[in-house]
Amino acid sequence: MLVLIAREIPEQHKRLRTWLEDLSDRTAPFCEFDIRGLSDEHRQMFWTAAARAGVIIRAKYGGDAMPNNAWAAENLLHLLRMHSSIVAGEPPSALNDLDMTTPYSGMPEDLQLLWRDATA
């Protein structure tokens, strides 16, 4: 899912794109990523790119119904539904399996921290 989003990040935000691609290669990418730790600009770019990726996925598959093996696409569409729900004022836990929201640690995400060589 993060690769689908990263593909839609424009060149002027290459560091964000590279970081998202790097996260996607990790064992548990969402266990160490909190979008609240991105700058306002990068958070907006993430959601804009996610929305664009969602349009591409819906066009490819003809709507919101995904094939059984399209987990990244299904997760992307679920993430977009969750974000829309939150923007509409619903509680963050309205569309997830948790009864509570994990508190934000206050730590910014470091886009310089990569597991792989950024020049590769």
Side-chain angles (χ1 to χ4, degrees):
M1 177 187 76
L2 292 177
V3 169
L4 297 172
I5 296 169
R7 288 178 184 161
E8 301 306 314
I9 301 282
E11 182 63 29
Q12 63 263 33
H13 296 281
K14 184 176 181 176
R15 173 57 61 189
L16 177 61
R17 183 177 62 225
T18 300
W19 183 72
L20 289 171
E21 290 170 346
D22 185 73
L23 277 177
S24 74
D25 285 339
R26 298 180 191 180
T27 309
F30 299 107
C31 292
E32 53 192 65
F33 168 45
D34 190 332
I35 195 167
R36 296 171 290 185
L38 295 177
S39 69
D40 290 341
E41 178 184 23
H42 285 146
R43 193 170 34 256
Q44 179 61 42
M45 182 52 51
F46 177 91
W47 290 118
T48 299
R52 281 197 300 262
V55 167
I56 291 167
I57 290 300
R58 285 182 182 103
K60 179 176 181 174
Y61 293 109
D64 282 345
M66 296 295 115
N68 288 338
N69 62 349
W71 299 289
E74 182 62 40
N75 287 332
L76 172 64
L77 296 181
H78 185 68
L79 179 71
L80 290 170
R81 286 190 296 272
M82 290 173 68
H83 181 64
S84 294
S85 171
I86 292 168
V87 168
E90 296 177 20
S93 60
L95 295 179
N96 68 27
D97 296 332
L98 302 175
D99 294 331
M100 59 174 259
T101 302
T102 302
Y104 175 49
S105 70
M107 296 298 296
E109 294 293 343
D110 183 359
L111 301 187
Q112 302 296 327
L113 181 61
L114 303 175
W115 281 25
R116 63 179 169 90
D117 182 2
T119 61

